[in-house]
Amino acid sequence: MTSSYPAALPLLICIVVAAVTAFSLAGYGFSAIGRGGLGAVARGGAALAGALAAVAYVWGLVSLFLDESGTAQACQDANASMYGQVSGYSVSYLPPALDCRMSSGGSYSAAVHGFVTPVMTGCAVIAVTLALIAVAEHRRTTPEHPDFTTPPGPCRRPR
């Protein structure tokens, strides 16, 4: 059997970066929603959706990390009846996946729960949509830039 095990160090680095990103986005999201207004709520919602996508990514990476040394066991646990046909493994970090390749040419998923990729994708789409709404609201409510060549009021210099 050939295998390409997930490397522990890159997995740990990705887990830490994604977890920090999730906490940061969640903190920003809740504070933005607290400010009120459509633009702020859209920005906050985009950040929270991004945080949820990052949490789902961390979940998938942690699943890969926990099965890092037991890839064969993960394939056997996922489908014991097909395990005898497994000829190798393939690992993906984005989206997180561990596929058990069979000698017949097919494969089946192991270790990472099936909901991780749909949750990541759905949250990313929601985050991008809300970010676009926030940008549109910002452009709608922001006045045109004034001419800054002459300062207004008492700050005016004599000519």
Side-chain angles (χ1 to χ4, degrees):
M1 260 190 235
T2 62
S3 70
S4 62
Y5 291 107
L9 185 60
L11 275 174
L12 285 175
I13 291 170
C14 288
I15 288 169
V16 169
V17 168
V20 168
T21 300
F23 282 117
S24 300
L25 286 172
Y28 174 79
F30 286 121
S31 68
I33 287 174
R35 290 184 210 126
L38 178 61
V41 170
R43 281 192 311 274
L48 291 175
L52 186 56
V55 167
Y57 184 61
V58 167
W59 186 306
L61 290 178
V62 167
S63 297
L64 277 179
F65 183 77
L66 293 177
D67 285 320
E68 190 251 333
S69 61
T71 305
Q73 185 63 43
C75 288
Q76 187 174 7
D77 291 345
N79 194 336
S81 64
M82 297 177 83
Y83 177 69
Q85 301 172 25
V86 172
S87 62
Y89 317 100
S90 63
V91 176
S92 169
Y93 294 103
L94 188 64
L98 171 65
D99 292 328
C100 306
R101 290 179 291 168
M102 299 184 300
S103 54
S104 62
S107 67
Y108 62 92
S109 297
V112 180
H113 298 282
F115 66 84
V116 170
T117 300
V119 167
M120 282 175 37
T121 305
C123 289
V125 168
I126 290 169
V128 168
T129 303
L130 288 173
L132 291 173
I133 290 170
V135 167
E137 180 64 15
H138 177 73
R139 287 187 178 175
R140 185 183 73 79
T141 58
T142 304
E144 289 292 320
H145 294 286
D147 182 20
F148 288 110
T149 56
T150 307
C155 296
R156 198 173 279 175
R157 289 185 208 169
R159 293 184 187 216

